[in-house]
Amino acid sequence: MSYQVLARKWRPRGFPELVGQDHVRRALANALDSGRLHHAYLFTGTRGVGKTTIARILAKSLNCEANGVSSEPCGECSACREIDEGRFVDLIEVDAASRTRVEETRELLENVPYAPTRGRYKVYLIDEVHMFSQHSFNALLKTLEEPPPHVRFLLATTDPQKVPVTILSRCLQFNLKLMPVPTIVGQLQRILDAEGVAYDEPALGQIARAASGSMRDALSLLDQAIAFGDGAVRAEDVEGMLGTLSRDRLFALIEAVAGQDASALVTELDRLAEAAADFEPVLGDLLSLLHQLALAQAAPGAVDESVADAERVRELAGRLEPADVQLYYQIATLGRRDLNWAPDPRAGLEMTLLRMIAFRPDPDLGSSAPARTEPSRKAAAPSAPPPTTANVATPPKDEAAPAESPASPRASGGDAVAEPRVTGEPEPTGGAEHGVATNPEPESVPAASVAYGPELDWAATVSALGLRGLAGELGANTALLGVEDDRLRLALAPEHAHLGGERYRQRLEQALGEHFERKLRVELVHEQAPPNVETPADADRRRAEARRAEAQQSIESDPVVQAFQSRFGAEIQTDSIRPVESGGNDEPETD
């Protein structure tokens, strides 16, 4: 007896054997058992998810000689066997892709009025019905409007958008879903156990992912893997057969990127080249792993437990910053898009991974809370005008700007000098001139001077910790309610509740313990801080606004700016005023 491929040998013969399409099975079984049968059904979905299989089971349910019309055809009577073997005279299977002419459709439908030859119903199974021409659809529509009671139409398509709405409206439509990876893996395990074939679970996961939701594709790949592995399904064989990257190598690449280790990264790529691996699919595999890492960080319960390395995914997710994972995913997505523009696939992959290392995000930038200040700034005595920049808009004038600016008066404090400077001349059509005032930075107070106790300065403590990422955000957006022995009670407002995860609380607790050299416990109270207590982030915002107000006053009182206002009618764009960070270049900024 010739060998029968697994996709045909293990094709479901009844509704109980269907895998992954419970919503369709339940609806059809209830309709059959209650006698509420429609004259036309449309099954939609991608390849290999069971459209024609379900149609054939339905045909058996309608024509079973032993059990009658029911959801449990016997599978043993002559009608059931002939349907399984594809030779039942009253099951007319049509491939619409090969019968696109209207004459062929009319010839097919001419026999609709005649009673079935052997069965209870005459069943028309039209596959890829969207390939019909418009004239063929019109011919079919006439039959669907008033079908004989002994006829049932079962239509299947991978592209329902191409089916006219007039046809859709006369059918019961069932959309078959893609098979989830765990469902495919479970079915492959059952088949291999029944066939007595040895296998590695990671290999089945690779096959299931490569099948992209199609059970038929998964079974075809399984046949290929058995042949490739000489009667066994092994992970290394499947990796070579599919040309995909093993999960171990994927983890090694991610860990090299996360560790900022370019040498290890190049070494891994050399190993890939030695294994003659195809570099083009690697970014897709990396995206899949990064997606799993992001899920493990945001929703640990969503990790796919059927994957053999689920615990490794959770462990790596715990070591990486969520911002890093998101950035890696974005870079990989763009790198995959631009891969065709690279000199060769390896160069494109290598540059994408090196870009992940080069552009690692700074958690202190772009966060919801302002940058934390050093604790010494709370004790800074001088209140001199801060460094500032601003845009001064001038209307068109024929006159030139003053060649030299008047001498700038010194600030009243005596130790901070405001020296706005104007460079260039006003543009003929109205330009932007920039005034800059510089201010020396006050001396710093050592972070170690923050003492632990009931009078703990929380803002200075948070700044001294130097925490990064969401743990730093947690510290910046909490307010100290009290210190009791080795326990700190912190208020966390509801709008920042997403920062109160156990992982970030523990990181803050660990940093505090290391800073004060004692074991401390952090207790989060999910409520608004008292009116007289502010968070470090609130304090930073207040100080930033005060600096901006002082900067505006400094700009407005500057003689050069006043000269531009009086001579050219210039206006200060107040929304552009911002203090310049100390220690930077005091040259005017340009927009």
Side-chain angles (χ1 to χ4, degrees):
M1 182 177 178
S2 61
Y3 175 74
Q4 191 175 24
V5 298
L6 295 176
R8 293 189 60 191
K9 182 177 180 180
W10 290 91
R11 191 172 197 165
R13 300 290 192 266
F15 287 116
E17 299 175 25
L18 277 177
V19 175
Q21 306 296 350
D22 289 343
H23 63 299
V24 180
R25 177 194 58 77
R26 180 179 177 182
L28 293 178
N30 291 340
L32 288 164
D33 292 338
S34 64
R36 301 175 67 87
L37 297 173
H38 202 269
H39 64 275
Y41 295 87
L42 175 64
F43 302 104
T44 68
T46 190
R47 74 206 181 284
V49 292
K51 299 185 296 297
T52 55
T53 295
I54 291 176
R56 287 176 181 172
I57 294 174
L58 183 54
K60 287 197 295 184
S61 298
L62 293 171
N63 288 292
C64 180
E65 296 172 350
N67 296 342
V69 178
S70 73
S71 62
E72 298 179 358
C74 69
E76 301 295 334
C77 67
S78 58
C80 289
R81 290 199 308 272
E82 289 174 13
I83 290 175
D84 285 336
E85 295 167 3
R87 56 186 181 88
F88 187 63
V89 68
D90 289 320
L91 175 59
I92 301 96
E93 295 194 30
V94 179
D95 181 11
S98 61
R99 300 178 67 104
T100 57
R101 293 190 304 165
V102 64
E103 294 81 3
E104 294 175 325
T105 306
R106 287 174 178 164
E107 180 183 349
L108 174 70
L109 298 177
E110 281 178 356
N111 293 323
V112 168
Y114 300 108
T117 303
R118 284 197 51 214
R120 192 175 294 107
Y121 290 95
K122 183 180 289 187
V123 180
Y124 286 84
L125 199 171
I126 306 177
D127 197 13
E128 299 298 346
V129 68
H130 68 273
M131 297 294 291
F132 268 167
S133 66
Q134 187 59 48
H135 293 296
S136 297
F137 275 125
N138 290 338
L140 178 61
L141 179 61
K142 293 179 181 179
T143 305
L144 289 179
E145 286 177 340
E146 296 182 3
H150 59 268
V151 174
R152 295 290 181 269
F153 286 93
L154 309 180
L155 315 180
T157 178
T158 56
D159 196 354
Q161 285 76 21
K162 292 183 179 179
V163 179
V165 292
T166 51
I167 300 293
L168 294 176
S169 65
R170 288 165 173 80
C171 301
L172 289 186
Q173 184 172 342
F174 294 95
N175 184 29
L176 277 67
K177 301 180 293 186
L178 291 172
M179 301 283 186
V181 169
T183 300
I184 295 179
V185 170
Q187 181 69 355
L188 297 184
Q189 287 177 329
R190 286 189 287 272
I191 291 173
L192 291 175
D193 289 339
E195 294 284 332
V197 176
Y199 61 88
D200 295 337
E201 287 191 17
L204 301 188
Q206 293 179 23
I207 292 174
R209 284 187 288 273
S212 301
S214 170
M215 184 64 76
R216 185 180 64 222
D217 286 5
L219 292 175
S220 298
L221 290 173
L222 185 61
D223 253 328
Q224 184 180 351
I226 293 173
F228 191 90
D230 193 20
V233 182
R234 302 301 181 195
E236 57 272 16
D237 292 335
V238 172
E239 178 187 346
M241 180 189 79
L242 297 176
T244 56
L245 200 62
S246 71
R247 299 280 283 188
D248 285 339
R249 288 180 175 171
L250 283 175
F251 277 103
L253 288 176
I254 293 294
E255 288 171 349
V257 168
Q260 304 279 286
D261 192 342
S263 298
L265 187 63
V266 174
T267 300
E268 288 299 326
L269 292 175
D270 288 340
R271 291 174 181 169
L272 286 181
E274 292 172 3
D278 186 359
F279 287 100
E280 290 190 7
V282 173
L283 283 176
D285 295 336
L286 276 175
L287 285 168
S288 177
L289 178 56
L290 289 169
H291 169 242
Q292 294 174 30
L293 293 173
L295 272 181
Q297 291 175 334
V303 176
D304 184 0
E305 297 295 338
S306 67
V307 179
D309 51 24
E311 190 56 40
R312 190 172 182 183
V313 169
R314 275 191 288 265
E315 189 273 333
L316 181 57
R319 289 193 283 118
L320 295 177
E321 290 288 345
D324 289 354
V325 174
Q326 294 297 330
L327 179 67
Y328 299 157
Y329 189 92
Q330 183 68 15
I331 291 176
T333 300
L334 296 176
R336 191 181 189 191
R337 184 197 65 184
D338 298 338
L339 200 58
N340 291 334
W341 297 98
D344 57 78
R346 170 166 180 167
L349 172 63
E350 201 164 54
M351 285 301 295
T352 300
L353 295 172
L354 290 174
R355 198 175 301 130
M356 293 179 185
I357 293 178
F359 293 98
R360 189 170 189 175
D362 184 351
D364 291 333
L365 298 178
S367 62
S368 58
R372 295 185 294 278
T373 58
E374 294 296 326
S376 60
R377 296 186 184 179
K378 292 178 66 66
S383 57
T388 60
T389 67
N391 293 342
V392 182
T394 59
K397 291 287 184 179
D398 294 333
E399 306 176 45
E404 296 182 3
S405 62
S408 300
R410 294 187 173 271
S412 58
D415 57 350
V417 180
E419 296 181 349
R421 296 186 293 116
V422 177
T423 60
E425 296 182 352
E427 299 176 2
T429 58
E433 301 294 340
H434 303 271
V436 178
T438 59
N439 181 43
E441 178 70 11
E443 295 183 0
S444 298
V445 177
S449 64
V450 180
Y452 181 80
E455 303 300 324
L456 177 68
D457 186 334
W458 180 239
T461 300
V462 169
S463 182
L465 294 179
L467 274 174
R468 298 162 60 90
L470 294 180
E473 294 296 311
L474 174 60
N477 288 280
T478 50
L480 183 63
L481 297 179
V483 177
E484 301 174 6
D485 297 328
D486 290 334
R487 180 168 64 96
L488 287 82
R489 297 181 67 250
L490 304 177
L492 181 64
E495 60 266 26
H496 299 298
H498 63 284
L499 300 172
E502 182 64 16
R503 177 185 177 193
Y504 308 120
R505 188 197 66 79
Q506 289 179 354
R507 287 184 58 190
L508 177 60
E509 190 174 78
Q510 179 183 358
L512 286 166
E514 293 174 353
H515 180 72
F516 291 112
E517 298 182 349
R518 59 194 298 175
K519 186 174 180 58
L520 298 175
R521 187 161 61 90
V522 170
E523 177 186 336
L524 295 179
V525 180
H526 292 273
E527 62 181 31
Q528 293 287 353
N532 61 334
V533 180
E534 63 179 0
T535 66
D538 290 337
D540 282 347
R541 281 189 286 269
R542 175 177 51 76
R543 287 192 291 269
E545 181 57 32
R547 290 196 301 269
R548 198 202 69 81
E550 291 178 2
Q552 180 173 343
Q553 182 181 4
S554 176
I555 292 292
E556 290 174 345
S557 61
D558 186 88
V560 176
V561 175
Q562 292 174 353
F564 269 89
Q565 288 176 313
S566 62
R567 296 186 62 180
F568 303 109
E571 295 180 358
I572 298 175
Q573 297 177 358
T574 56
D575 58 347
S576 73
I577 296 176
R578 59 191 183 276
V580 176
E581 293 297 332
S582 60
N585 189 347
D586 63 356
E587 288 298 316
E589 296 183 359
T590 57
D591 290 338

